[in-house]
Amino acid sequence: DGGITQSPKYLFRKEGQNVTLSCEQNLNHDAMYWYRQDPGQGLRLIYYSQIVNDFQKGDIAEGYSVSREKKESFPLTVTSAQKNPTAFYLCASGLANEQFFGPGTRLTVL
Amino acid sequence: QQQVKQSPQSLIVQKGGISIINCAYENTAFDYFPWYQQFPGKGPALLIAIRPDVSEKKEGRFTISFNKSAKQFSLHIMDSQPGDSATYFCAASKDDYKLSFGAGTTVTVRA
């Protein structure tokens, strides 16, 4: 089965803690993305990576960090510097003409 | 600031009716306009897309109308079915990677 997996589906963390969200794809795509989804705001791009060992900031990168050490994996760390981290996070891969999305991780910071 | 403005925020339609969602953009460098469909608790999936060299594209019950001079495009869902109940996002792109998404429209189809 080809696709994108994100884990965990739900994540709870205390305020001030860093947390890492996992994203793995077996679609052999070079490009991967992280989006944040909030009600009424659509999908906003956090970071994207065109190729292994390279990544660029998206529109709302502050308080987030990423790495791209393997083609299949693009983990996102939500740091304590992110002022409002509670949201639904979506990982995607592929080019703009068709991005494939994972099922998402709902992060709640208590 | 959102580069693609989408309306309405939500709509309710009777089974068999037509759902219409509108989007507008300012950046004339955009050259690819997809629509994504998202069911609750799932990631979005590409539904249909258009490039500005055509004014309309139809796939089954879904049609995109594109007005380049007005910088607007819309999604029409004909003969709406309960299974079409979802959130729909328009988007626009001007390179091979980044998509700018609209805020989304939640469509509810009543049986």
Side-chain angles (χ1 to χ4, degrees):
Chain A
D1 251 354
I4 299 179
T5 57
Q6 291 186 243
S7 61
K9 189 172 176 69
Y10 298 96
L11 189 55
F12 297 88
R13 279 296 181 268
K14 291 183 179 179
E15 196 171 330
Q17 288 181 335
N18 291 357
V19 60
T20 297
L21 280 59
S22 167
C23 176
E24 303 277 332
Q25 56 102 356
N26 61 3
L27 299 169
N28 200 34
H29 289 154
D30 286 314
M32 296 187 74
Y33 311 79
W34 274 105
Y35 291 91
R36 171 178 171 142
Q37 185 174 6
D38 297 283
Q41 296 196 53
L43 282 68
R44 292 182 291 166
L45 183 64
I46 303 172
Y47 269 98
Y48 68 108
S49 168
Q50 297 179 19
I51 201 164
V52 174
N53 293 321
D54 182 59
F55 50 83
Q56 289 84 39
K57 291 182 180 180
D59 300 318
I60 56 164
E62 185 175 349
Y64 300 97
S65 65
V66 294
S67 62
R68 186 83 188 279
E69 297 175 2
K70 297 189 300 181
K71 186 175 185 177
E72 302 79 19
S73 178
F74 191 39
L76 172 75
T77 297
V78 184
T79 75
S80 56
Q82 168 50 232
K83 293 178 183 173
N84 186 17
T86 294
F88 188 53
Y89 291 87
L90 287 159
C91 178
S93 71
L95 296 178
N97 62 348
E98 185 166 13
Q99 289 186 6
F100 292 84
F101 284 82
T105 292
R106 187 165 298 280
L107 172 64
T108 303
V109 175
L110 306 170
Chain B
Q1 126 210 15
Q2 214 131 31
Q3 295 196 55
V4 180
K5 297 194 187 316
Q6 183 173 348
S7 63
Q9 187 173 358
S10 64
L11 68 91
I12 298 172
V13 63
Q14 291 298 120
K15 180 181 174 182
I18 302 173
S19 304
I20 301 174
I21 306 169
N22 300 300
C23 288
Y25 64 97
E26 286 298 325
N27 191 339
T28 55
F30 287 140
D31 63 359
Y32 179 72
F33 302 88
W35 286 86
Y36 280 77
Q37 179 189 53
Q38 183 182 31
F39 294 105
K42 306 291 185 185
L46 179 66
L47 182 65
I48 187 174
I50 198 168
R51 293 201 180 267
D53 52 345
V54 297
S55 59
E56 185 174 283
K57 183 174 181 180
K58 184 176 181 179
E59 289 185 3
R61 296 183 293 106
F62 299 90
T63 300
I64 301 178
S65 297
F66 188 84
N67 186 328
K68 189 173 180 178
S69 60
K71 292 184 283 187
Q72 295 175 349
F73 58 110
S74 60
L75 177 70
H76 291 63
I77 306 174
M78 313 300 286
D79 187 25
S80 297
Q81 299 297 311
D84 297 332
S85 296
T87 299
Y88 293 82
F89 295 95
C90 61
S93 175
K94 55 182 172 63
D95 62 34
D96 286 339
Y97 298 97
K98 294 176 68 175
L99 286 170
S100 295
F101 284 88
T105 297
T106 300
V107 174
T108 302
V109 182
R110 294 256 166 90

